[in-house]
Amino acid sequence: MDIETKIQSLQEMIEELNLDLLDDSIVKSNQLPFLYKEQLYRVKMPKQKDLTIAKSIEDKLKIQLLRDSNSITKKALIKVLKENQGIDILELNETKDKYTNRLKDLYMELATTSDKESKRINNLKNSINEVKSNHMQVSIEISDLLSPSIEHQVETAYIKYLTTVCTEKNIEDNQWELAWKDYETFENDDTNLPNLANLCFTRLFLTLRN
Amino acid sequence: MNDETAIRKLARSNYWQNIYKSSQENAGIKIFENEANFSGLQILFLYWLSVYNMIYKELLDKEWAYLSKEMVEDDIRLDAFLYYRGREISKKISRNKLEEEKRRIKSKGKHTGNITPFSVEMIRG
């Protein structure tokens, strides 16, 4: 799947989730409801205990992968990509930096326009959107290239575990039960529900980890 | 509309700005249903509530020549303005620091002799 198709499918999933984003329920509580095949689900924030278990799962997996000769660290993968396929991640990062600098220049121009200059404002806004989109494409490309790395795999396992323990299915009015009884059931679920729940949980959790 | 766009729209609304201001003055007024374990979306919302609160104050005080109501309601224009504002404030801070150092050197110079740009750089380290 190429980058553009990936972005499109991600956008489609996000649109599917946007029941009514102007509804302030997305911020009023620390839970996020979503529908899947007309069934109501919700993701909630993890408890301290969940975070501790997720961290230990992440650490165990990291040690296991570091011992496995078929696994590769991010640093080594960057080297392999450059030597074997001529793909330079550092160069791609420089391209990203160039887009960031271009964006800053455009921001400086746009910030000093008055409301009357509508044509100039629109042109600058179009250029900003274009630069942002190019920046996002390069970011996705880098993330895609580095996805086989150990670091990426352990991060994915961390989020997947938290998604498993934080996704609940509505039974009755105010009764909820876990959507999957354990991590293995989540992993074996071949519907689109795990992906949707994962996306919802990532939206709710956002950058809290960093 | 993505999450951040929706969150910003809510954060700049009169309703939420009033709740935010009231919660600052009266600890009894709660913004969220939960009192702890805030989600990333809630933290992002709090950030934008405080940004719009500051921007509305500066708009009212006419602190910036280009800041307008239209700009506040346009996410891209406001992002640009916030970047520009940050740069201007940094420049002002640097200018003030330099002035302060110049004054310090001048008062020292009264006892030690002439001031040159070299001596300014030396003291700035």
Side-chain angles (χ1 to χ4, degrees):
Chain A
M1 200 190 284
D2 63 26
I3 300 290
E4 275 178 26
T5 320
K6 275 189 179 171
I7 295 173
Q8 201 186 340
S9 101
L10 194 66
Q11 276 167 346
E12 277 167 11
M13 268 176 99
I14 291 170
E15 272 164 29
E16 203 178 312
L17 287 168
N18 288 347
L19 305 171
D20 181 4
L21 280 175
L22 279 184
D23 173 3
D24 57 16
S25 65
I26 64 164
V27 291
K28 264 196 158 174
S29 77
N30 57 356
Q31 298 164 352
L32 198 60
F34 67 97
L35 279 172
Y36 178 70
K37 292 190 174 165
E38 292 178 30
Q39 167 69 51
L40 183 64
Y41 292 86
R42 72 177 181 192
V43 282
K44 52 180 193 168
M45 282 297 289
K47 295 183 191 123
Q48 194 52 48
K49 187 182 147 202
D50 302 326
L51 293 169
T52 310
I53 298 174
K55 181 79 181 74
S56 98
I57 288 175
E58 186 187 30
D59 290 344
K60 270 186 208 158
L61 181 64
K62 194 170 186 178
I63 292 166
Q64 192 187 319
L65 291 175
L66 282 170
R67 284 182 181 151
D68 177 5
S69 57
N70 289 321
S71 295
I72 189 164
T73 62
K74 190 171 150 185
K75 201 176 167 186
L77 180 59
I78 290 174
K79 205 175 161 205
V80 168
L81 283 169
K82 192 174 180 183
E83 286 172 1
N84 298 0
Q85 292 188 45
I87 298 168
D88 193 339
I89 296 289
L90 298 179
E91 212 170 81
L92 285 171
N93 275 325
E94 280 169 16
T95 308
K96 251 173 79 180
D97 292 343
K98 275 182 199 160
Y99 286 132
T100 306
N101 291 334
R102 175 77 187 121
L103 192 61
K104 287 177 181 173
D105 292 341
L106 289 166
Y107 273 168
M108 287 304 278
E109 265 190 77
L110 183 62
T112 49
T113 49
S114 75
D115 294 338
K116 287 173 193 161
E117 300 171 87
S118 57
K119 198 177 169 193
R120 191 168 161 231
I121 289 174
N122 284 336
N123 287 341
L124 284 166
K125 279 170 68 174
N126 288 339
S127 304
I128 285 172
N129 283 332
E130 199 184 318
V131 173
K132 277 186 179 173
S133 160
N134 290 339
H135 186 278
M136 190 169 83
Q137 286 220 13
V138 181
S139 301
I140 293 174
E141 194 181 341
I142 294 173
S143 162
D144 210 38
L145 286 164
L146 297 180
S147 64
S149 72
I150 290 174
E151 288 84 344
H152 187 273
Q153 286 187 58
V154 295
E155 176 76 23
T156 307
Y158 179 87
I159 296 292
K160 273 186 180 176
Y161 173 76
L162 290 177
T163 305
T164 311
V165 293
C166 294
T167 309
E168 292 177 330
K169 184 179 175 181
N170 186 245
I171 307 300
E172 269 174 50
D173 294 342
N174 209 17
Q175 281 191 5
W176 300 82
E177 67 173 22
L178 281 176
W180 301 276
K181 65 177 165 74
D182 51 35
Y183 186 58
E184 207 185 328
T185 323
F186 171 89
E187 282 280 75
N188 290 329
D189 187 338
D190 56 5
T191 68
N192 203 24
L193 181 60
N195 288 336
L196 215 53
N198 219 335
L199 187 61
C200 275
F201 178 74
T202 313
R203 280 172 72 201
L204 186 74
F205 201 55
L206 278 176
T207 53
L208 275 187
R209 201 180 178 202
N210 298 324
Chain B
M1 191 188 291
N2 65 32
D3 287 339
E4 187 151 4
T5 310
I7 281 176
R8 289 176 69 164
K9 199 166 181 179
L10 287 172
R12 67 171 173 260
S13 68
N14 280 337
Y15 173 79
W16 279 105
Q17 277 299 311
N18 286 334
I19 300 250
Y20 179 70
K21 272 181 242 163
S22 309
S23 73
Q24 302 276 297
E25 290 153 15
N26 183 347
I29 295 174
K30 300 271 178 276
I31 296 180
F32 304 128
E33 286 169 7
N34 50 310
E35 290 185 10
N37 199 13
F38 298 128
S39 71
L41 291 173
Q42 288 177 318
I43 290 172
L44 189 64
F45 183 57
L46 283 175
Y47 166 77
W48 282 112
L49 277 174
S50 72
V51 169
Y52 282 110
N53 181 258
M54 169 193 82
I55 288 294
Y56 280 131
K57 264 188 217 160
E58 293 182 3
L59 179 65
L60 206 65
D61 296 342
K62 294 191 171 79
E63 273 191 47
W64 305 90
Y66 295 99
L67 184 59
S68 65
K69 198 168 179 293
E70 284 81 355
M71 191 180 253
V72 178
E73 280 165 11
D74 183 325
D75 287 355
I76 300 182
R77 286 185 73 193
L78 189 68
D79 285 342
F81 172 76
L82 289 170
Y83 177 70
Y84 164 81
R85 181 186 178 277
R87 290 268 301 253
E88 288 300 303
I89 290 174
S90 298
K91 269 196 252 171
K92 203 176 165 185
I93 292 171
S94 304
R95 268 200 307 270
N96 288 348
K97 268 191 186 167
L98 197 65
E99 287 303 317
E100 206 178 291
E101 278 164 11
K102 275 185 191 168
R103 272 198 301 275
R104 200 158 52 88
I105 295 163
K106 265 185 189 170
S107 72
K108 263 193 173 179
K110 281 177 189 167
H111 312 289
T112 55
N114 291 338
I115 312 292
T116 64
F118 176 73
S119 55
V120 174
E121 284 307 315
M122 281 296 285
I123 290 174
R124 285 177 74 188

